[in-house]
Amino acid sequence: MSKLLWIPVAVVLLALPLYLDASWLKAGQYMMIGAVGAIGLTLLSGQAGQLSLAHGFFLLVGATSYSVLSGTDDDLVGLGLNPLLALIGAVAISALAGVAFAPVAGRVRGIYLGVASLALVFLGLYLGQAAGSLTGGTSTGRAPATFELFGFSFSNEGTLIVAGVPLRGTERLWYLFLILLALSYWLAKGAVGTRIGRSWRAVRDNEAAATAMGVDVRRTKAGVFAVSSAYAGLAGVMIVLWFDILKPDENEFGTYGINTSIAFLAMAIIGGLGSIPGAVAGAVVVYGLPQLLTLYSTDLGWFTGSVTPVLVSSFVYGAAIVLVVLFEPGGLAAIGRRIKELRS
Amino acid sequence: MLVLDRVTLRFGGLVALDEVSFTVTPGSLHALIGPNGAGKSSCFNVISGLYRPTSGAVRLGEQNLLELRPHRLAGLGIGRAFQNTALSTHSTVLDNVLLGRHTLTRGGFIACSLRWTRREEKRHAARAREICDFLGIGAAVDQPLGSLPYGVTKKVDIARALAVEPNLLLLDEPAAGLNTEETAELAATIGQIRTDLGIAILLVEHDMDLVMGIADQVTVLDFGRVIADGTPGDVQTDPDVIKAYLGATT
Ligand SMILES: Nc1ncnc2c1ncn2[C@@H]1O[C@H](COP(=O)(O)OP(=O)(O)OP(=O)(O)O)[C@@H](O)[C@H]1O
Ligand SMILES: [Mg+2]
């Protein structure tokens, strides 16, 4: 995207909380969570060519780490750290969890790596239930500490009025998420265009050539897993702040389950593997659709019994993946590039 | 100076390399030739660390190459081009060539994502463009590799190997898949690299005629054994070499 185009985009995103009501803002925040996670996965699977279905697990690692590091509950493990430190700590712990998976990532490739990484989701399911003193357990979960930045609380606390609109918790969280997404995007862009990004693509395209050019393939794979997991961990922190609760899944489908891992992969594929703006667009499709359908569900009157917005949107993004794979492997990113070429 | 000392490589019962010894002296264009299945590629892969020999030693100066992990060789000044161009087809020519600067640059995710390496990147990109200009592909630097003809991608592969700033350049059958005209052009490029850059080149090649015109030293392999080692003149008239090549073609 050209530099000038960013200005109107930023203005609109910054102004939205003044016009939209909370339920719409929640939907937008959910898409931002998806975007942060999807950027991480598109670096791993798109740029470095490492298929991973473990994203849901790393989300859980980040979510749990934040809750534990910042937590103050008496009956659960909690360190009561400053929420900003807890967020940074959670991202770091998620990165380490990604590095811990490196010995596996260094040995298996392609679809086998995908299956091996899927095992982590089941590990997460087990740990989420077994380590109740950390996660709060499946029945009650645990409430995360409210996020705070230098004494400013991202909750309904205090009154803050801008242009006649009171900015309450939801509005404030919107700005927090916007900052986190912008930072994630900017960092990823910087990495992709330089030395580290080249080493990722080299590992993806030809390991022998990468080695001959001095790239330590094993280390590069471990590193990109760490980066991708850090992004997933950040998305995990955002998701506990969004739900305002950490609740481990009861089965393999849930907030941190297989469906989540697949949804992130869908975002990366629909957006065009390896493309960062594409990942954001993919997140808007995959996470935006169920949110919008839910908001409109009563007006639409489509949803009865087992036909839920989530189910319908799964079908839609499933179809979108098939269309992308068949007709435009470059995804939304490639379509965007083509539009840009037409204009110039 | 690259020294191979009694290198033996076995694949099960098959002896791919049998006590192979030769020396590539600094600044020389050394050709390694031989009929199909002679062991040229195996020898090449031993030098570049992809195969571990059963016995023997490979040294670059004082350094024993066999005790290093293969990705360390680039840092020692060994550049390598591939038989079937192993490039990233979706990336631009510049991006591909810049990969060769990997060991000459620093910076992981944090440094790169925070743009701490920006100035260094610029400097190295300028050098990469220079190398492309030198090889006559300067006009294509910003184009995606996938859109270029095979002859050009071959040169990109060599440009990437040169971007390592090697004192030893390994070329594995660079003429494979090229027509006569392109082969002649490539031979000229290789000669130019040697004279202008003064680096040693180990050229693995099937085609005797290409080699004889430009090489300083020729080592001939047959059935994994060195059957001749000398100047092109000596080797061409060697009865064993003539027999090996005639035997292979009839
Ligand atoms: N990885 C391997 N496993 C088993 N045998 C191998 C392997 N690589 C090479 N060989 C065998 O070693 C011998 C030498 O092969 P090599 O590829 O080194 O020959 P070459 O001189 O490069 O031939 P060409 O001119 O066809 O490229 C051949 O008999 C080959 O079948
Ligand atoms: Mg060969």
Side-chain angles (χ1 to χ4, degrees), chain B residues 37 39-42 83 172-173 204:
Chain B
K40 304 181 296 292
S41 294
S42 303
Q83 186 164 350
D172 190 9
E173 305 218 25
V204 171

Side-chain angles (χ1 to χ4, degrees), chain A residues 36-102:
Chain A
V36 169
I39 291 173
L41 193 63
T42 214
L43 295 181
L44 178 67
S45 299
Q47 289 282 328
Q50 309 298 303
L51 178 61
S52 167
L53 286 170
H55 230 50
F57 169 76
F58 293 113
L59 240 69
L60 178 64
V61 172
T64 307
S65 302
Y66 176 77
S67 306
V68 170
L69 291 176
S70 64
T72 46
D73 324 54
D74 295 327
D75 46 344
L76 299 170
V77 181
L79 301 184
L81 290 182
N82 170 294
L84 177 62
L85 282 182
L87 179 141
I88 295 169
V91 170
I93 291 170
S94 308
L96 287 179
V99 172
F101 186 64

Side-chain angles (χ1 to χ4, degrees), chain B residues 9-12 14-17 33-45 51 83 172-173 204-206 221 223-224:
Chain B
L9 176 70
R10 284 202 190 91
F11 292 114
L14 184 110
V15 184
L17 295 175
I33 65 169
N36 281 104
K40 304 181 296 292
S41 294
S42 303
C43 189
F44 197 87
N45 287 330
Y51 291 169
Q83 186 164 350
D172 190 9
E173 305 218 25
V204 171
E205 191 48 74
H206 191 80
L221 283 182
F223 294 112

Side-chain angles (χ1 to χ4, degrees), chain A residues 58-207:
Chain A
F58 293 113
L59 240 69
L60 178 64
V61 172
T64 307
S65 302
Y66 176 77
S67 306
V68 170
L69 291 176
S70 64
T72 46
D73 324 54
D74 295 327
D75 46 344
L76 299 170
V77 181
L79 301 184
L81 290 182
N82 170 294
L84 177 62
L85 282 182
L87 179 141
I88 295 169
V91 170
I93 291 170
S94 308
L96 287 179
V99 172
F101 186 64
V104 180
R107 274 178 186 77
V108 287
R109 288 203 180 92
I111 189 81
Y112 299 101
L113 178 60
V115 172
S117 64
L118 191 56
L120 288 181
V121 170
F122 289 92
L123 178 71
L125 176 67
Y126 169 76
L127 289 178
Q129 295 171 354
S133 59
L134 301 178
T135 62
T138 48
S139 52
T140 58
R142 83 184 278 179
T146 307
F147 195 77
E148 254 180 49
L149 208 53
F150 311 115
F152 178 73
S153 168
F154 288 80
S155 67
N156 294 337
E157 195 185 291
T159 46
L160 177 70
I161 296 176
V162 172
V165 180
L167 296 188
R168 294 165 51 82
T170 313
E171 286 82 9
R172 296 178 196 180
L173 208 56
W174 171 275
Y175 290 113
L176 175 68
F177 280 17
L178 205 55
I179 292 169
L180 292 176
L181 173 58
L183 190 66
S184 302
Y185 188 98
W186 183 75
L187 293 175
K189 270 282 182 195
V192 163
T194 50
R195 180 178 188 265
I196 187 79
R198 280 194 298 274
S199 69
W200 291 340
R201 292 186 288 280
V203 165
R204 172 193 71 192
D205 290 331
N206 192 315
E207 289 190 11

Side-chain angles (χ1 to χ4, degrees), chain A residues 15-54:
Chain A
L16 277 180
L18 306 179
Y19 299 99
L20 293 183
D21 63 341
S23 57
W24 282 93
L25 290 179
K26 285 296 258 189
Q29 289 164 1
Y30 196 62
M31 296 179 219
M32 291 195 245
I33 297 172
V36 169
I39 291 173
L41 193 63
T42 214
L43 295 181
L44 178 67
S45 299
Q47 289 282 328
Q50 309 298 303
L51 178 61
S52 167
L53 286 170

